[in-house]
Amino acid sequence: MIKKFSGKTAAAIIIFPTNKILLIKRGTIVFRGFWALPGGKVDGGETVEEAVVREVREETGLKVKIVRKIGEYHEVGVNNGVEYDYYPTCFLVKVVGGKISKQKEEIEEIKLFDFNEIPKRLAFKHSDMIKDYLRTS
């Protein structure tokens, strides 16, 4: 039986004064082996905006504030035996507190990259989200 992953999600491009981007490598089945922006599923009863702030804090230890929405995306496919059909919304956020630290067991690694050093193995539309951000900044 194939597992399914679907619904609304939120992702964050976090502003750092050093022209770097924070990416995480997840150990979860659908994202295993890929670098991704911090973020995750929108829980019932919360907005996408609330979800991105919560997910960034839960994954990275950083408290953030939304600057603006980058865009809305749609992902459909199958990876590692998981069928996915979800709708990520990407936000540009700034740090208002905390410090970077891996907060969840599912995260294998967390790292700051220069924009010109972004890894090739990005999770799905994350490369499009980053390109859209760079195009509009």
Side-chain angles (χ1 to χ4, degrees):
M1 175 183 252
I2 201 162
K3 293 183 178 183
K4 293 189 178 188
F5 173 74
S6 63
K8 286 187 160 217
T9 63
I13 294 175
I14 304 168
I15 298 172
F16 290 96
T18 56
N19 201 27
K20 295 192 183 265
I21 187 167
L22 182 72
L23 297 176
I24 58 176
K25 189 183 278 187
R26 297 179 190 278
T28 54
I29 294 171
V30 74
F31 289 109
R32 187 172 294 134
F34 289 90
W35 287 94
L37 295 166
K41 275 194 107 153
V42 177
D43 289 342
E46 75 179 343
T47 66
V48 183
E49 292 83 1
E50 291 167 335
V52 76
V53 170
R54 175 187 52 76
E55 285 285 346
V56 168
R57 187 184 67 252
E58 288 178 358
E59 292 182 343
T60 69
L62 296 173
K63 293 173 84 178
V64 296
K65 180 179 178 183
I66 295 172
V67 174
R68 66 180 164 88
K69 182 165 79 171
I70 302 293
E72 296 176 1
Y73 303 82
H74 182 212
E75 288 290 335
V76 177
V78 176
N79 190 46
N80 291 329
V82 177
E83 182 181 314
Y84 58 90
D85 182 3
Y86 73 105
Y87 297 84
T89 300
C90 183
F91 295 92
L92 179 65
V93 301
K94 68 179 181 178
V95 177
V96 295
K99 65 180 196 174
I100 299 170
S101 64
K102 188 173 87 162
Q103 300 290 306
K104 289 184 172 182
E105 259 186 53
E106 73 179 39
I107 298 172
E108 294 177 349
E109 193 174 346
I110 187 168
K111 185 176 175 183
L112 281 171
F113 290 92
D114 287 324
F115 276 99
N116 59 357
E117 296 177 337
I118 294 172
K120 299 268 185 258
R121 281 185 61 91
L122 286 174
F124 316 117
K125 287 281 185 187
H126 290 237
S127 58
D128 290 343
M129 294 177 195
I130 294 166
K131 286 177 190 170
D132 288 348
Y133 163 70
L134 292 172
R135 189 174 21 259
T136 60
S137 350

